[in-house]
Amino acid sequence: MHILDINQMTQIFVYSLEMVVIFATLCAALELTFPAYRYSFASYARGVRNYIIRLGCGAFMWHFYAVSVGWLGIKPLVTINFGTLLHSDNAIINNGLAVLSGVLVAIAGDFFYYWMHRAQHAVPFLWRMHATHHSIRELTAWNCHHHISEPLVAAGLVSLPLTLFHFESGVVPFVAMTLITFQVHLSHSSTRINLGPLRYIIGDNKFHRIHHSLEPHHQRRNYGFFTTIWDTIFATAYWPKKNEWPEVGLRDQSEPLTVRDFVMFPFDRRRWRRAKVGSGEKAGN
């Protein structure tokens, strides 16, 4: 695998974009049909633009990560064969077990995401990059992008530890990635549709909305992404009340509206001269 394999990077970009378009558009339809908040068309257009930029940069970063893992000779330490552990001769049951396997993989991966996410709120340099995401005021299934540097952080703190685990069943990683991609957009969606009691296991938009909240009593809460289990175990879970749907964003930073603002958000001295680094955490993020 070459460091500048254009075909490989193009495949990563196209696959990622297809997944985003499918699930973001599905959740956007729910937002328009059952809105909790109605946001401007401009915010949706801005979200589409920023997603394309981020996925393009991410395709290169993830390809470089795969090349680096190969160069360094990093091998799995543990092999888990879901095909043997969870298998049935009944096709319907077998498909259900494949989904269950994907859920279990996603929950395990979310353990590393949970601690990465806490680090992003605690370490000033990481917070500057992550604050790009938290600055979004019109949070929707499309307008929920992270900064272009996010794959670098996720590669080191989430993907690298997961590389040490190998899952034999070929369908499981695909199912897990599909579930996680859907979760990305559902969790940021501004629709009244949510997972209800299932929220005590799988995170949804009401649960994650608290993490983005401007309210002081919501600060340092709900770091988990796919599952709420790790927040429960590590005592950071906040369960939203029936009609609790707070305003979101940062008190000391405006949402980036231009491409330059989006790309340069963590490095713009004018922004950070006006606010203490990490102060968004104190504002509930």
Side-chain angles (χ1 to χ4, degrees):
M1 186 181 294
H2 301 291
I3 191 171
L4 289 177
D5 189 332
I6 302 300
N7 289 333
Q8 184 70 22
M9 287 187 284
T10 300
Q11 290 176 10
I12 295 173
F13 172 75
V14 171
Y15 172 74
S16 300
L17 184 60
E18 286 175 346
M19 296 282 278
V20 167
V21 168
I22 291 170
F23 292 118
T25 303
L26 173 62
C27 291
L30 294 177
E31 291 173 346
L32 296 174
T33 308
F34 308 100
Y37 273 116
R38 288 195 182 275
Y39 290 125
S40 67
F41 174 78
S43 69
Y44 284 91
R46 192 162 59 246
V48 172
R49 178 199 67 195
N50 290 347
Y51 246 114
I52 291 173
I53 294 171
R54 195 189 75 77
L55 291 177
C57 295
F60 170 77
M61 294 177 189
W62 286 117
H63 174 70
F64 181 74
Y65 167 78
V67 171
S68 299
V69 168
W71 282 352
L72 295 171
I74 299 175
K75 303 293 184 181
L77 298 178
V78 178
T79 297
I80 301 174
N81 192 333
F82 277 111
T84 300
L85 295 175
L86 298 173
H87 178 74
S88 172
D89 293 331
N90 184 294
I92 296 177
I93 295 176
N94 209 39
N95 288 331
L97 290 175
V99 173
L100 174 61
S101 302
V103 170
L104 294 176
V105 172
I107 289 175
D110 208 45
F111 172 82
F112 297 103
Y113 177 86
Y114 173 88
W115 288 107
M116 178 196 78
H117 200 176
R118 290 192 67 164
Q120 287 177 308
H121 284 261
V123 179
F125 176 69
L126 295 179
W127 168 247
R128 284 196 181 197
M129 294 184 286
H130 188 57
T132 310
H133 177 62
H134 274 276
S135 69
I136 298 173
R137 301 284 177 87
E138 297 183 274
L139 190 65
T140 66
W142 265 111
N143 196 32
C144 61
H145 46 80
H146 287 79
H147 189 257
I148 59 174
S149 61
E150 186 84 1
L152 293 175
V153 181
L157 299 181
V158 179
S159 295
L160 189 59
L162 286 175
T163 301
L164 302 179
F165 298 86
H166 176 65
F167 300 98
E168 280 289 347
S169 179
V171 71
V172 171
F174 173 77
V175 172
M177 187 56 64
T178 300
L179 291 170
I180 290 170
T181 304
F182 174 65
Q183 192 74 359
V184 166
H185 302 287
L186 175 66
S187 292
H188 296 98
S189 179
S190 63
T191 178
R192 288 186 285 108
I193 301 298
N194 56 71
L195 298 182
L198 189 59
R199 183 181 306 122
Y200 290 96
I201 299 175
I202 306 296
D204 66 358
N205 47 343
K206 283 200 72 174
F207 184 83
H208 192 64
R209 183 88 178 183
I210 296 299
H211 180 70
H212 282 261
S213 172
L214 280 168
E215 299 298 327
H217 64 287
H218 292 154
Q219 64 181 324
R220 299 181 180 88
R221 297 290 187 175
N222 299 5
Y223 291 102
F225 187 70
F226 180 77
T227 181
T228 60
I229 291 174
W230 305 120
D231 277 293
T232 301
I233 291 174
F234 298 112
T236 54
Y238 177 99
W239 305 105
K241 299 177 179 63
K242 183 177 180 180
N243 295 315
E244 196 168 16
W245 192 263
E247 294 284 352
V248 299
L250 295 178
R251 297 186 189 282
D252 54 14
Q253 296 289 358
S254 60
E255 179 179 345
L257 301 180
T258 67
V259 172
R260 181 196 176 280
D261 284 344
F262 170 55
V263 174
M264 296 302 297
F265 188 98
F267 318 108
D268 191 336
R269 294 182 179 180
R270 294 173 299 175
R271 281 184 176 274
W272 298 103
R273 190 179 296 121
R274 295 193 299 265
K276 180 181 179 182
V277 176
S279 59
E281 176 78 10
K282 297 177 183 178
N285 300 283

